[in-house]
Amino acid sequence: MNDENIKKLPLFKILDEAFNYLAGNLKAAGIFALVNYVLCCLCIYSWKTIWFWFVVGALYILWSVFFRFYFGRQPYFLWRPLLYSMVPSTKILVLSTVLVTLLLALPVVPLFLGVDASYNQFLQKYMQDSDVINALTNLAVVLLSPWIIYRPFLAWISAVTGRSGSLKNAWVRTRGNYWEFLLLGVIMNLTTSGLYYGLAHLGIGYGLSLVVISPLIVYYNVVLAKIYEFFFLEID
């Protein structure tokens, strides 16, 4: 693909179109938001039990059904595309885990290069500060999200709707849009994190916070569906 054929993502137009879609499909959006809310609550209460993985599986099926519904791929639930979609989703999980782990391990590298004791003391303090680790992890995920989340996620949408789930195809179609996807990651991260911590500051617990956040999750999945349309379905 030549540089002149690169399609630039009109992110703010996509965000507006996604909002208009939700406004015109409030009933369906409400149903998906409600089911997502219930399953997210079950995730919280089943954490560290075997039932947690069953709930995660139910969430996986929910969003598979959502994208098939959005693109009008009836029946909305089919085992074959669901199983086929696990190939790109597994690659996303492995790639994300490996890259984030490597980034978090970088501070340890100087220890093998013979640095002085002061750095060792600093590292021990850093490793004990969970807020610092969480912040660095979050930053790393956002910076890498165009590569390890959003582009591969488009391949997952393609697979779950019965099309090719090729990561290479998704990469080629979306090349030249790192900053656009990074901006999307920043917007999604700031809004969801801002809502969560803002509500927590007001003393609102997980359950009530999810009442507000769950519709936002539906909205951002519509955004991703619109992005998929732009790169994969729109006729040049």
Side-chain angles (χ1 to χ4, degrees), residues 107-120:
V108 182
V109 173
L111 293 178
F112 298 96
L113 302 177
V115 296
D116 56 28
S118 60
Y119 180 80
N120 190 29

Side-chain angles (χ1 to χ4, degrees), residues 49 52 136 147 208 213:
T49 72
F52 172 79
L136 290 175
W147 295 317
L208 290 178
I213 294 174

Side-chain angles (χ1 to χ4, degrees), residues 88-208:
S89 62
T90 300
K91 290 179 180 178
I92 295 170
L93 179 62
V94 172
L95 184 62
S96 302
T97 302
V98 170
L99 288 178
V100 172
T101 300
L102 288 175
L103 283 173
L104 291 177
L106 284 178
V108 182
V109 173
L111 293 178
F112 298 96
L113 302 177
V115 296
D116 56 28
S118 60
Y119 180 80
N120 190 29
Q121 294 174 356
F122 162 77
L123 186 61
Q124 289 179 352
K125 182 180 179 181
Y126 152 78
M127 293 299 291
Q128 293 172 357
D129 192 338
S130 60
D131 290 336
V132 172
I133 294 175
N134 290 338
L136 290 175
T137 303
N138 196 29
L139 178 62
V141 170
V142 170
L143 291 175
L144 293 172
S145 61
W147 295 317
I148 66 174
I149 297 178
Y150 297 115
R151 284 163 167 169
F153 194 83
L154 297 179
W156 180 81
I157 294 175
S158 189
V160 84
T161 53
R163 301 181 178 92
S164 171
S166 168
L167 292 178
K168 181 180 179 180
N169 184 42
W171 190 272
V172 170
R173 286 177 178 270
T174 59
R175 66 192 292 262
N177 285 275
Y178 172 82
W179 296 109
E180 287 78 5
F181 279 111
L182 179 61
L183 179 58
L184 174 63
V186 171
I187 292 172
M188 292 177 68
N189 190 273
L190 287 179
T191 50
T192 52
S193 298
L195 271 175
Y196 172 76
Y197 288 110
L199 292 171
H201 182 72
L202 295 174
I204 298 176
Y206 289 121
L208 290 178

Side-chain angles (χ1 to χ4, degrees), residues 39 42-43 46 49-61:
L39 291 177
L42 290 175
C43 273
S46 64
T49 72
I50 192 173
W51 299 108
F52 172 79
W53 299 107
F54 288 98
V55 180
V56 169
L59 277 168
Y60 190 93
I61 293 173

